[in-house]
Amino acid sequence: MPGGRLTQQERQEIALGLADGLAYAEIARRLDRPTSTITREVMRNGGPTAYRADLAHRATEHRAHRRRQAAPRGPKEAPETHGRDAESVREYEELLTTVMMASGMPKMMSRVMVCLTITDSGSLTASELVERLQVSPPSISKAIAFLESQGFVRRERDERRRDRYIVDDDIWYRSMMASARSTAHVVETARQGVGILGPGTPAATRLENIARFLDFVSESLARAADQAREVLYTKPDAPSDGTS
């Protein structure tokens, strides 16, 4: 399987594959590349509907140039444990960050969120985040403030009275419930419009249908989150020691 950076020809093949509606896995198979490589390439260069081979190639060259210039102060990589391959972890961190950005989370917030998520402890101090991501303290502070406001991280004091920022087991449940509440608010507002625009009119009917649809979705989301919440606390099976 070939390694190294994608060539301009390969990026053109990716663009053609996207235009033909091919799945990332199929494009990867045709190029003899990992699916993760294609996913990362597309998501960090505009997504499947906006990907352009020429712009993606120039952007990659620009990123490579910046990395060469910044090489003397590159990110500090913590020693890997559990037999992990450091390069694979770094690539996965970049992929997950790109996917979170595509979901709507700003870049620095995505980087901090991913950095915390893939840390075994699930917690880091501001100075540790600065060191790992090689960004300024104000950037970390701004990102943490956003993530706290969205319920994605929480803070607590450690034994040295330092603030530690934590991604705990319940954050995705809280996020789903917040999304359900937000959708329910849209439902309520849409139904207010029905009375204002006049029941039975085309506009009011449209709003009522939107409200009914979103009402069903928000209730289903909240119910599913409650039912699945315990999954977030499931511990992995202990590794086998080879004995029966």
Side-chain angles (χ1 to χ4, degrees):
M1 185 175 292
R5 281 191 234 151
L6 291 166
T7 66
Q8 190 160 17
Q9 178 61 37
E10 285 177 315
R11 289 191 168 93
Q12 290 170 352
E13 292 294 329
I14 291 171
L16 290 173
L18 292 172
D20 288 340
L22 298 181
Y24 294 153
E26 176 60 20
I27 297 173
R29 187 189 66 77
R30 295 186 180 192
L31 294 178
D32 195 21
R33 291 277 192 170
T35 302
S36 60
T37 297
I38 306 304
T39 303
R40 183 168 60 249
E41 167 69 15
V42 174
M43 297 305 292
R44 70 181 175 188
N45 289 292
T49 59
Y51 182 84
R52 284 183 54 187
D54 54 342
L55 294 180
H57 195 72
R58 286 201 294 270
T60 300
E61 292 297 318
H62 179 62
R63 284 193 294 267
H65 178 68
R66 285 194 305 174
R67 280 197 295 268
R68 285 194 295 269
Q69 288 184 323
R73 61 181 301 273
K76 298 291 184 66
E77 294 185 1
E80 291 299 337
T81 58
H82 304 293
R84 296 168 179 147
D85 176 70
E87 180 63 17
S88 296
V89 172
R90 187 195 64 77
E91 289 185 358
Y92 176 73
E93 183 173 2
E94 182 180 346
L95 172 61
L96 185 55
T97 299
T98 301
V99 170
M100 296 194 77
M101 288 169 57
S103 74
M105 186 177 286
K107 181 177 180 179
M108 184 52 62
M109 291 65 171
S110 296
R111 293 188 67 195
V112 171
M113 182 70 182
V114 170
C115 189
L116 287 167
T117 300
I118 67 173
T119 302
D120 282 317
S121 66
S123 73
L124 293 168
T125 65
S127 61
E128 288 170 338
L129 285 164
V130 166
E131 183 177 14
R132 284 172 180 248
L133 298 177
Q134 289 291 283
V135 295
S136 67
S139 296
I140 295 298
S141 178
K142 182 178 179 181
I144 288 294
F146 172 86
L147 292 170
E148 281 190 301
S149 72
Q150 300 299 308
F152 283 116
V153 302
R154 62 181 176 83
R155 73 173 73 196
E156 64 180 37
R157 288 290 180 91
D158 63 17
E159 65 280 358
R160 295 170 57 185
R161 302 191 60 77
R162 299 175 303 177
D163 280 337
R164 297 196 70 86
Y165 303 105
I166 300 169
V167 171
D168 61 28
D169 293 331
D170 219 31
I171 60 165
W172 291 105
Y173 171 78
R174 294 198 302 270
S175 175
M176 290 297 99
M177 296 305 288
S179 177
R181 288 193 295 272
S182 177
T183 303
H185 184 62
V186 175
V187 171
E188 179 184 352
T189 305
R191 285 194 167 131
Q192 289 176 5
V194 173
I196 294 172
L197 296 172
T201 64
T205 300
R206 185 179 305 115
L207 283 173
E208 177 59 31
N209 289 341
I210 290 171
R212 291 170 58 201
F213 171 77
L214 292 179
D215 195 22
F216 178 84
V217 169
S218 64
E219 287 186 5
S220 299
L221 180 62
R223 184 165 56 252
D226 277 329
Q227 292 172 346
R229 189 176 188 180
E230 65 183 50
V231 173
L232 294 168
Y233 298 93
T234 303
K235 301 302 180 184
D237 293 334
S240 172
D241 60 3
T243 62
S244 57

